[in-house]
Amino acid sequence: MRVALFGCGWIQDFHALGVLAHGDEIVAVANHREESARAFAERYGIPRVTTDWEALAADPDVEAAIVSTPNALHAPQSVALLQNGKHVLVEKPMATSVSECDEMVEASRATGASLMVAHCWRFRDEVIAMRDRIASGALGVVVKTRGYGVHAGWGPSGWFTDGSLAGGGALVDMGVHAIDTARFLLGDPVPERVCAAIGTRYAHGRYEVDDDGILLITWSNGTNSVVESGWWQPYLGGLEADTEVYGTAGYARIWPPDPPADDYEHCTQPMYSSQVAEFLDAIAEGRQPRPSGEDGRIVMQVVADAYRSAGTA
């Protein structure tokens, strides 16, 4: 598979390694800063560097692409690629609005090109094990979950804190991990009600996007999920995407509340490689990769409903 990379930030290194480990070819990298793209291309032996992503989206030499650019570019770049028959793996959040998600899904349906959303925690062994444990009935009927998408003592800068580029703050950056993980654990139900309190509490004055949020989601299977999102929190109640599960027959959580060692790394290469493998294998096998565009849209619907509930939409 001939793969192009759109964007060359921190997360794209994981994707590049995943493509190469799968035995496929990275044919080009596009980025608005040519110098950054050239340095990235040298690291991975990528033959082509460009600042013209629109031309790359139409290039017949490209079969698939991984879009890891600022959120506001996810929809236009993905739609252009899909309309040209290229398969797309797009980083989370899928887009900055539900209407953009709809455009992406429709472009995929119109051409038959695959659309997958990079909700990476679905590919972590511990998360899969918890999903299987719930499905086996070991915890009984799941009454509620509590999930975490939080940075403690830290928060991003740059485009992440620009609402016009990010589409929101900590909720779209971190909260989406907890939302999708809860949904995955529960067998992918759909949301029926979303209530939220969201604000800018810890870095007020430094930016206008949210850095604190609490969501209550009622799913179609009757389970309630509490989701916490945030940057600059004084305490970490759970590692990224960690989820507590309360069932009629017991309680469990994915990871211990505290890291097991000082040098513990939570975001590691294997889950990203598994994610890329799902994308490329599904294309080769002629099936829809998961999580699909529809899965990504559901997460963004929860986000939109949360912002509306909190009066921040």
Side-chain angles (χ1 to χ4, degrees), residues 19-304:
V19 172
L20 297 176
H22 196 261
D24 295 274
E25 181 183 4
I26 305 174
V27 296
V29 56
N31 193 61
H32 71 293
R33 292 192 182 95
E34 184 175 355
E35 183 178 355
S36 299
R38 290 203 176 280
F40 188 92
E42 288 177 7
R43 284 205 301 278
Y44 298 106
I46 303 171
R48 180 180 173 188
V49 170
T50 182
T51 58
D52 188 350
W53 68 261
E54 291 175 300
L56 187 59
D59 191 326
D61 191 46
V62 174
E63 296 177 284
I66 301 177
V67 176
S68 300
T69 48
N71 302 342
L73 289 172
H74 288 184
Q77 290 181 340
S78 296
V79 168
L81 285 157
L82 292 163
Q83 288 178 339
N84 282 286
K86 321 297 186 187
H87 307 286
V88 173
L89 171 60
V90 60
E91 256 302 330
K92 64 79 198 168
M94 179 178 174
T96 60
S97 69
V98 175
S99 61
E100 286 185 338
C101 296
D102 289 337
E103 292 175 17
M104 296 162 71
V105 170
E106 178 53 36
S108 174
R109 288 174 179 166
T111 63
S114 297
L115 174 61
M116 178 179 170
V117 183
H119 286 295
C120 58
W121 295 101
R122 290 180 176 235
F123 299 90
R124 185 68 175 251
D125 289 345
E126 297 93 329
V127 177
I128 294 168
M130 180 64 76
R131 179 204 59 182
D132 293 345
R133 187 178 178 189
I134 292 170
S136 75
L139 298 175
V141 176
V142 177
V143 176
K144 74 174 179 180
T145 70
R146 177 181 291 272
Y148 301 91
V150 174
H151 284 312
W154 184 84
S157 57
W159 67 262
F160 286 92
T161 60
D162 183 336
S164 64
L165 293 176
L171 179 55
V172 296
D173 176 39
M174 295 294 292
V176 293
H177 286 307
I179 294 167
D180 186 71
T181 301
R183 183 170 179 257
F184 176 67
L185 292 177
L186 298 171
D188 289 323
V190 296
E192 293 190 339
R193 182 181 63 159
V194 179
C195 302
I198 301 169
T200 310
R201 307 295 299 277
Y202 291 97
H204 186 68
R206 275 190 268 168
Y207 45 69
E208 296 182 353
V209 295
D210 55 283
D211 61 11
D212 182 69
I214 301 174
L215 281 62
L216 173 62
I217 307 162
T218 299
W219 301 102
S220 56
N221 63 358
T223 302
N224 291 312
S225 289
V226 177
V227 166
E228 298 185 19
S229 67
W231 299 328
W232 298 106
Q233 308 283 304
Y235 174 75
L236 193 64
L239 297 172
E240 183 177 311
D242 190 17
T243 307
E244 299 177 80
V245 181
Y246 297 77
T248 57
Y251 163 88
R253 71 185 298 166
I254 300 172
W255 290 284
D258 297 313
D262 291 340
D263 59 352
Y264 172 75
E265 292 185 25
H266 194 51
C267 296
T268 56
Q269 184 61 45
M271 74 173 174
Y272 292 102
S273 292
S274 294
Q275 179 175 251
V276 170
E278 163 65 10
F279 175 56
L280 296 171
D281 287 344
I283 295 169
E285 295 164 10
R287 60 178 175 82
Q288 171 61 52
R290 294 288 303 270
S292 64
E294 288 83 356
D295 292 317
R297 183 196 185 281
I298 287 173
V299 173
M300 286 309 299
Q301 184 66 64
V302 171
V303 168

